[in-house]
Amino acid sequence: MVQHVVAAAQQGVVDDLLHLPMPPAEKVIRTVAVYLGILIVIRIAGKRLMGQMNSQDLVVVLLLSNVVQNAIIGEDNSLVGGLLGAAVLVLVNAGLDRLTLRIPWLAWLLDGRPTVVVTDGLLDDRALLHLGMTPEELDNAIQAQGADSLSQVRRVAVEPGGSVTVELQPDARTATIGDLRRAVEALTARLEAQGSGPARG
């Protein structure tokens, strides 16, 4: 009697781990559909959600996986179903990454283009509003990259991934060791040229 109960329990565990309540094709379709749906939502939400997240954005990201979980798994809690879904997600993502490297318009469609918010020290308020970014957040981003004010900035762009790239005005750039070395070499060459010139009596 006990052996039958143990055998039945073991069989139940095996069924829970390996039995797919839905056809594998449906599992694949559900996973791909939810992946593409979230991709579209993030594309519409813009670069702000990807990079400069505030507390509300963080809550959305944290809840997003729970919201779409049932759409992917349905009634499937099996180990095989979970591994199949994970494999499909990884393969689809890798495939799209490779396609965007070869097809520029697809890269634009999925990722978009950089949004320029500052040009020659002038702030584009409409672009900033479109991104949902505050002037304070922009100031923090440019200060993190070495600029004290917009007057020192030649160009600021928010990249498709949400990162902020800052191009400083030439006079505002910090000199590197290479810059200092070249300046010393140029000054030394000038002094040597003057010292080796014809003497004046």
Side-chain angles (χ1 to χ4, degrees), residues 75-113:
E75 299 297 325
D76 184 6
N77 292 316
S78 68
L79 176 63
V80 172
L83 292 175
L84 176 60
V88 170
L89 281 175
V90 171
L91 290 174
V92 171
N93 187 64
L96 280 179
D97 281 344
R98 284 167 174 75
L99 283 176
T100 54
L101 293 175
R102 298 181 180 182
I103 308 174
W105 66 264
L106 182 61
W108 170 83
L109 182 65
L110 295 178
D111 298 328
R113 293 193 178 115

PDB file of all heavy atoms in Angstrom, residues 75-113:
ATOM      1  N   GLU A  75      -1.753  28.159 -17.988  1.00  0.00           N
ATOM      2  CA  GLU A  75      -1.884  27.214 -16.875  1.00  0.00           C
ATOM      3  C   GLU A  75      -0.636  26.338 -16.710  1.00  0.00           C
ATOM      4  O   GLU A  75      -0.649  25.360 -15.967  1.00  0.00           O
ATOM      5  CB  GLU A  75      -3.098  26.300 -17.122  1.00  0.00           C
ATOM      6  CG  GLU A  75      -4.418  27.047 -17.218  1.00  0.00           C
ATOM      7  CD  GLU A  75      -4.770  27.769 -15.916  1.00  0.00           C
ATOM      8  OE1 GLU A  75      -4.447  27.222 -14.846  1.00  0.00           O
ATOM      9  OE2 GLU A  75      -5.334  28.863 -15.984  1.00  0.00           O
ATOM     10  N   ASP A  76       0.416  26.701 -17.399  1.00  0.00           N
ATOM     11  CA  ASP A  76       1.613  25.859 -17.440  1.00  0.00           C
ATOM     12  C   ASP A  76       2.580  26.233 -16.326  1.00  0.00           C
ATOM     13  O   ASP A  76       3.136  27.326 -16.311  1.00  0.00           O
ATOM     14  CB  ASP A  76       2.295  26.016 -18.808  1.00  0.00           C
ATOM     15  CG  ASP A  76       3.495  25.097 -18.956  1.00  0.00           C
ATOM     16  OD1 ASP A  76       3.712  24.267 -18.054  1.00  0.00           O
ATOM     17  OD2 ASP A  76       4.208  25.202 -19.959  1.00  0.00           O
ATOM     18  N   ASN A  77       2.766  25.319 -15.373  1.00  0.00           N
ATOM     19  CA  ASN A  77       3.764  25.511 -14.320  1.00  0.00           C
ATOM     20  C   ASN A  77       4.868  24.463 -14.393  1.00  0.00           C
ATOM     21  O   ASN A  77       5.595  24.251 -13.426  1.00  0.00           O
ATOM     22  CB  ASN A  77       3.096  25.436 -12.937  1.00  0.00           C
ATOM     23  CG  ASN A  77       2.169  26.612 -12.699  1.00  0.00           C
ATOM     24  OD1 ASN A  77       2.520  27.747 -12.994  1.00  0.00           O
ATOM     25  ND2 ASN A  77       0.984  26.343 -12.174  1.00  0.00           N
ATOM     26  N   SER A  78       4.986  23.809 -15.531  1.00  0.00           N
ATOM     27  CA  SER A  78       5.947  22.716 -15.656  1.00  0.00           C
ATOM     28  C   SER A  78       7.358  23.244 -15.863  1.00  0.00           C
ATOM     29  O   SER A  78       7.572  24.367 -16.335  1.00  0.00           O
ATOM     30  CB  SER A  78       5.569  21.805 -16.825  1.00  0.00           C
ATOM     31  OG  SER A  78       5.729  22.494 -18.055  1.00  0.00           O
ATOM     32  N   LEU A  79       8.317  22.406 -15.511  1.00  0.00           N
ATOM     33  CA  LEU A  79       9.726  22.735 -15.720  1.00  0.00           C
ATOM     34  C   LEU A  79      10.042  22.855 -17.203  1.00  0.00           C
ATOM     35  O   LEU A  79      10.719  23.794 -17.639  1.00  0.00           O
ATOM     36  CB  LEU A  79      10.600  21.656 -15.076  1.00  0.00           C
ATOM     37  CG  LEU A  79      12.109  21.779 -15.281  1.00  0.00           C
ATOM     38  CD1 LEU A  79      12.640  23.053 -14.648  1.00  0.00           C
ATOM     39  CD2 LEU A  79      12.841  20.559 -14.731  1.00  0.00           C
ATOM     40  N   VAL A  80       9.524  21.917 -17.992  1.00  0.00           N
ATOM     41  CA  VAL A  80       9.774  21.938 -19.438  1.00  0.00           C
ATOM     42  C   VAL A  80       9.203  23.206 -20.066  1.00  0.00           C
ATOM     43  O   VAL A  80       9.843  23.843 -20.906  1.00  0.00           O
ATOM     44  CB  VAL A  80       9.178  20.683 -20.098  1.00  0.00           C
ATOM     45  CG1 VAL A  80       9.261  20.785 -21.613  1.00  0.00           C
ATOM     46  CG2 VAL A  80       9.902  19.430 -19.622  1.00  0.00           C
ATOM     47  N   GLY A  81       8.005  23.588 -19.635  1.00  0.00           N
ATOM     48  CA  GLY A  81       7.397  24.806 -20.177  1.00  0.00           C
ATOM     49  C   GLY A  81       8.204  26.045 -19.863  1.00  0.00           C
ATOM     50  O   GLY A  81       8.385  26.926 -20.710  1.00  0.00           O
ATOM     51  N   GLY A  82       8.722  26.121 -18.624  1.00  0.00           N
ATOM     52  CA  GLY A  82       9.548  27.270 -18.256  1.00  0.00           C
ATOM     53  C   GLY A  82      10.840  27.331 -19.043  1.00  0.00           C
ATOM     54  O   GLY A  82      11.251  28.399 -19.508  1.00  0.00           O
ATOM     55  N   LEU A  83      11.487  26.181 -19.209  1.00  0.00           N
ATOM     56  CA  LEU A  83      12.729  26.151 -19.980  1.00  0.00           C
ATOM     57  C   LEU A  83      12.478  26.481 -21.447  1.00  0.00           C
ATOM     58  O   LEU A  83      13.287  27.167 -22.085  1.00  0.00           O
ATOM     59  CB  LEU A  83      13.383  24.768 -19.853  1.00  0.00           C
ATOM     60  CG  LEU A  83      13.928  24.419 -18.462  1.00  0.00           C
ATOM     61  CD1 LEU A  83      14.445  22.986 -18.441  1.00  0.00           C
ATOM     62  CD2 LEU A  83      15.020  25.390 -18.047  1.00  0.00           C
ATOM     63  N   LEU A  84      11.351  25.996 -21.980  1.00  0.00           N
ATOM     64  CA  LEU A  84      11.016  26.298 -23.376  1.00  0.00           C
ATOM     65  C   LEU A  84      10.788  27.798 -23.568  1.00  0.00           C
ATOM     66  O   LEU A  84      11.294  28.407 -24.518  1.00  0.00           O
ATOM     67  CB  LEU A  84       9.770  25.520 -23.795  1.00  0.00           C
ATOM     68  CG  LEU A  84       9.243  25.797 -25.206  1.00  0.00           C
ATOM     69  CD1 LEU A  84      10.289  25.453 -26.252  1.00  0.00           C
ATOM     70  CD2 LEU A  84       7.948  25.010 -25.454  1.00  0.00           C
ATOM     71  N   GLY A  85      10.042  28.404 -22.648  1.00  0.00           N
ATOM     72  CA  GLY A  85       9.803  29.845 -22.739  1.00  0.00           C
ATOM     73  C   GLY A  85      11.086  30.647 -22.644  1.00  0.00           C
ATOM     74  O   GLY A  85      11.296  31.606 -23.391  1.00  0.00           O
ATOM     75  N   ALA A  86      11.969  30.247 -21.716  1.00  0.00           N
ATOM     76  CA  ALA A  86      13.242  30.956 -21.564  1.00  0.00           C
ATOM     77  C   ALA A  86      14.092  30.829 -22.825  1.00  0.00           C
ATOM     78  O   ALA A  86      14.705  31.804 -23.280  1.00  0.00           O
ATOM     79  CB  ALA A  86      13.999  30.396 -20.358  1.00  0.00           C
ATOM     80  N   ALA A  87      14.123  29.621 -23.396  1.00  0.00           N
ATOM     81  CA  ALA A  87      14.906  29.412 -24.611  1.00  0.00           C
ATOM     82  C   ALA A  87      14.375  30.256 -25.761  1.00  0.00           C
ATOM     83  O   ALA A  87      15.143  30.851 -26.526  1.00  0.00           O
ATOM     84  CB  ALA A  87      14.902  27.932 -24.984  1.00  0.00           C
ATOM     85  N   VAL A  88      13.048  30.333 -25.893  1.00  0.00           N
ATOM     86  CA  VAL A  88      12.450  31.131 -26.965  1.00  0.00           C
ATOM     87  C   VAL A  88      12.797  32.608 -26.798  1.00  0.00           C
ATOM     88  O   VAL A  88      13.160  33.299 -27.762  1.00  0.00           O
ATOM     89  CB  VAL A  88      10.915  30.936 -26.989  1.00  0.00           C
ATOM     90  CG1 VAL A  88      10.256  31.942 -27.918  1.00  0.00           C
ATOM     91  CG2 VAL A  88      10.582  29.510 -27.420  1.00  0.00           C
ATOM     92  N   LEU A  89      12.716  33.124 -25.563  1.00  0.00           N
ATOM     93  CA  LEU A  89      13.051  34.524 -25.312  1.00  0.00           C
ATOM     94  C   LEU A  89      14.492  34.836 -25.701  1.00  0.00           C
ATOM     95  O   LEU A  89      14.768  35.836 -26.374  1.00  0.00           O
ATOM     96  CB  LEU A  89      12.840  34.855 -23.832  1.00  0.00           C
ATOM     97  CG  LEU A  89      11.409  35.101 -23.372  1.00  0.00           C
ATOM     98  CD1 LEU A  89      11.364  35.289 -21.862  1.00  0.00           C
ATOM     99  CD2 LEU A  89      10.810  36.303 -24.079  1.00  0.00           C
ATOM    100  N   VAL A  90      15.410  33.976 -25.277  1.00  0.00           N
ATOM    101  CA  VAL A  90      16.830  34.203 -25.572  1.00  0.00           C
ATOM    102  C   VAL A  90      17.092  34.143 -27.072  1.00  0.00           C
ATOM    103  O   VAL A  90      17.800  34.994 -27.633  1.00  0.00           O
ATOM    104  CB  VAL A  90      17.704  33.173 -24.826  1.00  0.00           C
ATOM    105  CG1 VAL A  90      19.153  33.256 -25.290  1.00  0.00           C
ATOM    106  CG2 VAL A  90      17.626  33.390 -23.322  1.00  0.00           C
ATOM    107  N   LEU A  91      16.500  33.163 -27.761  1.00  0.00           N
ATOM    108  CA  LEU A  91      16.730  33.008 -29.198  1.00  0.00           C
ATOM    109  C   LEU A  91      16.136  34.169 -29.996  1.00  0.00           C
ATOM    110  O   LEU A  91      16.767  34.688 -30.923  1.00  0.00           O
ATOM    111  CB  LEU A  91      16.151  31.679 -29.678  1.00  0.00           C
ATOM    112  CG  LEU A  91      16.890  30.424 -29.196  1.00  0.00           C
ATOM    113  CD1 LEU A  91      16.136  29.165 -29.616  1.00  0.00           C
ATOM    114  CD2 LEU A  91      18.319  30.395 -29.743  1.00  0.00           C
ATOM    115  N   VAL A  92      14.910  34.569 -29.656  1.00  0.00           N
ATOM    116  CA  VAL A  92      14.280  35.683 -30.374  1.00  0.00           C
ATOM    117  C   VAL A  92      15.065  36.968 -30.168  1.00  0.00           C
ATOM    118  O   VAL A  92      15.304  37.740 -31.109  1.00  0.00           O
ATOM    119  CB  VAL A  92      12.816  35.859 -29.921  1.00  0.00           C
ATOM    120  CG1 VAL A  92      12.223  37.140 -30.486  1.00  0.00           C
ATOM    121  CG2 VAL A  92      11.977  34.666 -30.369  1.00  0.00           C
ATOM    122  N   ASN A  93      15.487  37.222 -28.931  1.00  0.00           N
ATOM    123  CA  ASN A  93      16.260  38.431 -28.644  1.00  0.00           C
ATOM    124  C   ASN A  93      17.585  38.433 -29.391  1.00  0.00           C
ATOM    125  O   ASN A  93      17.987  39.441 -29.981  1.00  0.00           O
ATOM    126  CB  ASN A  93      16.496  38.539 -27.137  1.00  0.00           C
ATOM    127  CG  ASN A  93      17.143  39.847 -26.757  1.00  0.00           C
ATOM    128  OD1 ASN A  93      16.570  40.911 -26.940  1.00  0.00           O
ATOM    129  ND2 ASN A  93      18.349  39.781 -26.228  1.00  0.00           N
ATOM    130  N   ALA A  94      18.290  37.289 -29.380  1.00  0.00           N
ATOM    131  CA  ALA A  94      19.565  37.196 -30.096  1.00  0.00           C
ATOM    132  C   ALA A  94      19.364  37.373 -31.595  1.00  0.00           C
ATOM    133  O   ALA A  94      20.161  38.036 -32.272  1.00  0.00           O
ATOM    134  CB  ALA A  94      20.225  35.854 -29.803  1.00  0.00           C
ATOM    135  N   GLY A  95      18.288  36.804 -32.126  1.00  0.00           N
ATOM    136  CA  GLY A  95      18.009  36.948 -33.555  1.00  0.00           C
ATOM    137  C   GLY A  95      17.740  38.384 -33.943  1.00  0.00           C
ATOM    138  O   GLY A  95      18.240  38.873 -34.970  1.00  0.00           O
ATOM    139  N   LEU A  96      16.952  39.107 -33.122  1.00  0.00           N
ATOM    140  CA  LEU A  96      16.673  40.512 -33.424  1.00  0.00           C
ATOM    141  C   LEU A  96      17.930  41.357 -33.309  1.00  0.00           C
ATOM    142  O   LEU A  96      18.127  42.290 -34.095  1.00  0.00           O
ATOM    143  CB  LEU A  96      15.589  41.044 -32.480  1.00  0.00           C
ATOM    144  CG  LEU A  96      14.146  40.691 -32.841  1.00  0.00           C
ATOM    145  CD1 LEU A  96      13.184  41.258 -31.813  1.00  0.00           C
ATOM    146  CD2 LEU A  96      13.787  41.192 -34.236  1.00  0.00           C
ATOM    147  N   ASP A  97      18.774  41.054 -32.330  1.00  0.00           N
ATOM    148  CA  ASP A  97      20.038  41.803 -32.200  1.00  0.00           C
ATOM    149  C   ASP A  97      20.885  41.673 -33.464  1.00  0.00           C
ATOM    150  O   ASP A  97      21.450  42.659 -33.948  1.00  0.00           O
ATOM    151  CB  ASP A  97      20.839  41.288 -30.998  1.00  0.00           C
ATOM    152  CG  ASP A  97      20.317  41.829 -29.683  1.00  0.00           C
ATOM    153  OD1 ASP A  97      19.556  42.815 -29.718  1.00  0.00           O
ATOM    154  OD2 ASP A  97      20.657  41.269 -28.632  1.00  0.00           O
ATOM    155  N   ARG A  98      20.960  40.472 -34.012  1.00  0.00           N
ATOM    156  CA  ARG A  98      21.763  40.264 -35.216  1.00  0.00           C
ATOM    157  C   ARG A  98      21.122  40.925 -36.432  1.00  0.00           C
ATOM    158  O   ARG A  98      21.806  41.462 -37.305  1.00  0.00           O
ATOM    159  CB  ARG A  98      21.969  38.766 -35.454  1.00  0.00           C
ATOM    160  CG  ARG A  98      23.003  38.162 -34.522  1.00  0.00           C
ATOM    161  CD  ARG A  98      22.989  36.653 -34.518  1.00  0.00           C
ATOM    162  NE  ARG A  98      24.077  36.094 -33.724  1.00  0.00           N
ATOM    163  CZ  ARG A  98      24.116  36.081 -32.407  1.00  0.00           C
ATOM    164  NH1 ARG A  98      23.121  36.602 -31.714  1.00  0.00           N
ATOM    165  NH2 ARG A  98      25.139  35.550 -31.753  1.00  0.00           N
ATOM    166  N   LEU A  99      19.795  40.897 -36.508  1.00  0.00           N
ATOM    167  CA  LEU A  99      19.109  41.532 -37.633  1.00  0.00           C
ATOM    168  C   LEU A  99      19.291  43.044 -37.620  1.00  0.00           C
ATOM    169  O   LEU A  99      19.462  43.661 -38.672  1.00  0.00           O
ATOM    170  CB  LEU A  99      17.616  41.187 -37.602  1.00  0.00           C
ATOM    171  CG  LEU A  99      17.226  39.779 -38.076  1.00  0.00           C
ATOM    172  CD1 LEU A  99      15.739  39.551 -37.902  1.00  0.00           C
ATOM    173  CD2 LEU A  99      17.621  39.583 -39.539  1.00  0.00           C
ATOM    174  N   THR A 100      19.261  43.658 -36.433  1.00  0.00           N
ATOM    175  CA  THR A 100      19.418  45.110 -36.365  1.00  0.00           C
ATOM    176  C   THR A 100      20.821  45.552 -36.775  1.00  0.00           C
ATOM    177  O   THR A 100      21.009  46.692 -37.210  1.00  0.00           O
ATOM    178  CB  THR A 100      19.119  45.630 -34.943  1.00  0.00           C
ATOM    179  OG1 THR A 100      19.923  44.920 -33.993  1.00  0.00           O
ATOM    180  CG2 THR A 100      17.650  45.436 -34.591  1.00  0.00           C
ATOM    181  N   LEU A 101      21.801  44.665 -36.631  1.00  0.00           N
ATOM    182  CA  LEU A 101      23.152  45.001 -37.088  1.00  0.00           C
ATOM    183  C   LEU A 101      23.241  45.025 -38.606  1.00  0.00           C
ATOM    184  O   LEU A 101      24.066  45.743 -39.176  1.00  0.00           O
ATOM    185  CB  LEU A 101      24.166  43.987 -36.526  1.00  0.00           C
ATOM    186  CG  LEU A 101      24.379  44.004 -35.008  1.00  0.00           C
ATOM    187  CD1 LEU A 101      25.316  42.881 -34.596  1.00  0.00           C
ATOM    188  CD2 LEU A 101      24.920  45.345 -34.552  1.00  0.00           C
ATOM    189  N   ARG A 102      22.386  44.257 -39.267  1.00  0.00           N
ATOM    190  CA  ARG A 102      22.435  44.157 -40.728  1.00  0.00           C
ATOM    191  C   ARG A 102      21.397  45.021 -41.426  1.00  0.00           C
ATOM    192  O   ARG A 102      21.560  45.373 -42.598  1.00  0.00           O
ATOM    193  CB  ARG A 102      22.230  42.696 -41.149  1.00  0.00           C
ATOM    194  CG  ARG A 102      23.300  41.746 -40.631  1.00  0.00           C
ATOM    195  CD  ARG A 102      23.052  40.333 -41.097  1.00  0.00           C
ATOM    196  NE  ARG A 102      24.079  39.415 -40.612  1.00  0.00           N
ATOM    197  CZ  ARG A 102      24.120  38.125 -40.901  1.00  0.00           C
ATOM    198  NH1 ARG A 102      23.199  37.591 -41.679  1.00  0.00           N
ATOM    199  NH2 ARG A 102      25.085  37.363 -40.426  1.00  0.00           N
ATOM    200  N   ILE A 103      20.330  45.353 -40.743  1.00  0.00           N
ATOM    201  CA  ILE A 103      19.226  46.106 -41.363  1.00  0.00           C
ATOM    202  C   ILE A 103      19.041  47.419 -40.605  1.00  0.00           C
ATOM    203  O   ILE A 103      18.428  47.444 -39.527  1.00  0.00           O
ATOM    204  CB  ILE A 103      17.916  45.284 -41.350  1.00  0.00           C
ATOM    205  CG1 ILE A 103      18.155  43.900 -41.955  1.00  0.00           C
ATOM    206  CG2 ILE A 103      16.815  46.018 -42.095  1.00  0.00           C
ATOM    207  CD1 ILE A 103      16.968  42.970 -41.847  1.00  0.00           C
ATOM    208  N   PRO A 104      19.568  48.529 -41.115  1.00  0.00           N
ATOM    209  CA  PRO A 104      19.505  49.806 -40.388  1.00  0.00           C
ATOM    210  C   PRO A 104      18.082  50.259 -40.067  1.00  0.00           C
ATOM    211  O   PRO A 104      17.834  50.774 -38.975  1.00  0.00           O
ATOM    212  CB  PRO A 104      20.208  50.786 -41.343  1.00  0.00           C
ATOM    213  CG  PRO A 104      21.087  49.934 -42.188  1.00  0.00           C
ATOM    214  CD  PRO A 104      20.356  48.633 -42.358  1.00  0.00           C
ATOM    215  N   TRP A 105      17.145  50.093 -40.998  1.00  0.00           N
ATOM    216  CA  TRP A 105      15.788  50.571 -40.733  1.00  0.00           C
ATOM    217  C   TRP A 105      15.116  49.780 -39.611  1.00  0.00           C
ATOM    218  O   TRP A 105      14.287  50.321 -38.874  1.00  0.00           O
ATOM    219  CB  TRP A 105      14.925  50.537 -41.998  1.00  0.00           C
ATOM    220  CG  TRP A 105      14.643  49.173 -42.552  1.00  0.00           C
ATOM    221  CD1 TRP A 105      15.297  48.529 -43.541  1.00  0.00           C
ATOM    222  CD2 TRP A 105      13.605  48.264 -42.126  1.00  0.00           C
ATOM    223  NE1 TRP A 105      14.753  47.291 -43.774  1.00  0.00           N
ATOM    224  CE2 TRP A 105      13.706  47.107 -42.926  1.00  0.00           C
ATOM    225  CE3 TRP A 105      12.611  48.324 -41.162  1.00  0.00           C
ATOM    226  CZ2 TRP A 105      12.849  46.016 -42.784  1.00  0.00           C
ATOM    227  CZ3 TRP A 105      11.745  47.244 -41.008  1.00  0.00           C
ATOM    228  CH2 TRP A 105      11.867  46.108 -41.811  1.00  0.00           C
ATOM    229  N   LEU A 106      15.499  48.511 -39.453  1.00  0.00           N
ATOM    230  CA  LEU A 106      14.952  47.721 -38.352  1.00  0.00           C
ATOM    231  C   LEU A 106      15.512  48.210 -37.022  1.00  0.00           C
ATOM    232  O   LEU A 106      14.789  48.272 -36.018  1.00  0.00           O
ATOM    233  CB  LEU A 106      15.271  46.239 -38.558  1.00  0.00           C
ATOM    234  CG  LEU A 106      14.709  45.275 -37.503  1.00  0.00           C
ATOM    235  CD1 LEU A 106      13.189  45.341 -37.468  1.00  0.00           C
ATOM    236  CD2 LEU A 106      15.175  43.851 -37.782  1.00  0.00           C
ATOM    237  N   ALA A 107      16.785  48.576 -37.026  1.00  0.00           N
ATOM    238  CA  ALA A 107      17.385  49.138 -35.811  1.00  0.00           C
ATOM    239  C   ALA A 107      16.683  50.428 -35.424  1.00  0.00           C
ATOM    240  O   ALA A 107      16.411  50.674 -34.243  1.00  0.00           O
ATOM    241  CB  ALA A 107      18.878  49.381 -36.029  1.00  0.00           C
ATOM    242  N   TRP A 108      16.376  51.270 -36.424  1.00  0.00           N
ATOM    243  CA  TRP A 108      15.649  52.510 -36.138  1.00  0.00           C
ATOM    244  C   TRP A 108      14.247  52.213 -35.627  1.00  0.00           C
ATOM    245  O   TRP A 108      13.761  52.848 -34.687  1.00  0.00           O
ATOM    246  CB  TRP A 108      15.552  53.363 -37.406  1.00  0.00           C
ATOM    247  CG  TRP A 108      14.624  54.524 -37.225  1.00  0.00           C
ATOM    248  CD1 TRP A 108      14.914  55.730 -36.653  1.00  0.00           C
ATOM    249  CD2 TRP A 108      13.236  54.568 -37.582  1.00  0.00           C
ATOM    250  NE1 TRP A 108      13.795  56.524 -36.632  1.00  0.00           N
ATOM    251  CE2 TRP A 108      12.748  55.841 -37.204  1.00  0.00           C
ATOM    252  CE3 TRP A 108      12.369  53.668 -38.192  1.00  0.00           C
ATOM    253  CZ2 TRP A 108      11.432  56.221 -37.405  1.00  0.00           C
ATOM    254  CZ3 TRP A 108      11.052  54.042 -38.390  1.00  0.00           C
ATOM    255  CH2 TRP A 108      10.590  55.311 -38.000  1.00  0.00           C
ATOM    256  N   LEU A 109      13.590  51.222 -36.228  1.00  0.00           N
ATOM    257  CA  LEU A 109      12.230  50.879 -35.829  1.00  0.00           C
ATOM    258  C   LEU A 109      12.173  50.387 -34.389  1.00  0.00           C
ATOM    259  O   LEU A 109      11.279  50.752 -33.621  1.00  0.00           O
ATOM    260  CB  LEU A 109      11.664  49.804 -36.769  1.00  0.00           C
ATOM    261  CG  LEU A 109      10.217  49.367 -36.523  1.00  0.00           C
ATOM    262  CD1 LEU A 109       9.258  50.517 -36.784  1.00  0.00           C
ATOM    263  CD2 LEU A 109       9.872  48.170 -37.398  1.00  0.00           C
ATOM    264  N   LEU A 110      13.141  49.563 -33.991  1.00  0.00           N
ATOM    265  CA  LEU A 110      13.128  48.976 -32.655  1.00  0.00           C
ATOM    266  C   LEU A 110      13.712  49.909 -31.602  1.00  0.00           C
ATOM    267  O   LEU A 110      13.220  49.952 -30.471  1.00  0.00           O
ATOM    268  CB  LEU A 110      13.898  47.654 -32.654  1.00  0.00           C
ATOM    269  CG  LEU A 110      13.301  46.525 -33.504  1.00  0.00           C
ATOM    270  CD1 LEU A 110      14.199  45.296 -33.450  1.00  0.00           C
ATOM    271  CD2 LEU A 110      11.891  46.169 -33.031  1.00  0.00           C
ATOM    272  N   ASP A 111      14.778  50.632 -31.964  1.00  0.00           N
ATOM    273  CA  ASP A 111      15.495  51.428 -30.971  1.00  0.00           C
ATOM    274  C   ASP A 111      15.277  52.930 -31.098  1.00  0.00           C
ATOM    275  O   ASP A 111      15.382  53.652 -30.111  1.00  0.00           O
ATOM    276  CB  ASP A 111      17.003  51.137 -31.056  1.00  0.00           C
ATOM    277  CG  ASP A 111      17.322  49.686 -30.755  1.00  0.00           C
ATOM    278  OD1 ASP A 111      16.606  49.083 -29.940  1.00  0.00           O
ATOM    279  OD2 ASP A 111      18.289  49.160 -31.329  1.00  0.00           O
ATOM    280  N   GLY A 112      15.023  53.409 -32.313  1.00  0.00           N
ATOM    281  CA  GLY A 112      14.897  54.839 -32.519  1.00  0.00           C
ATOM    282  C   GLY A 112      16.248  55.492 -32.746  1.00  0.00           C
ATOM    283  O   GLY A 112      17.261  54.823 -32.944  1.00  0.00           O
ATOM    284  N   ARG A 113      16.254  56.810 -32.706  1.00  0.00           N
ATOM    285  CA  ARG A 113      17.484  57.581 -32.911  1.00  0.00           C
ATOM    286  C   ARG A 113      17.737  58.457 -31.692  1.00  0.00           C
ATOM    287  O   ARG A 113      16.831  58.709 -30.897  1.00  0.00           O
ATOM    288  CB  ARG A 113      17.344  58.465 -34.153  1.00  0.00           C
ATOM    289  CG  ARG A 113      17.262  57.673 -35.449  1.00  0.00           C
ATOM    290  CD  ARG A 113      17.448  58.587 -36.651  1.00  0.00           C
ATOM    291  NE  ARG A 113      17.425  57.821 -37.883  1.00  0.00           N
ATOM    292  CZ  ARG A 113      16.502  57.938 -38.829  1.00  0.00           C
ATOM    293  NH1 ARG A 113      15.521  58.782 -38.668  1.00  0.00           N
ATOM    294  NH2 ARG A 113      16.558  57.205 -39.920  1.00  0.00           N
TER     295      ARG A 113
END
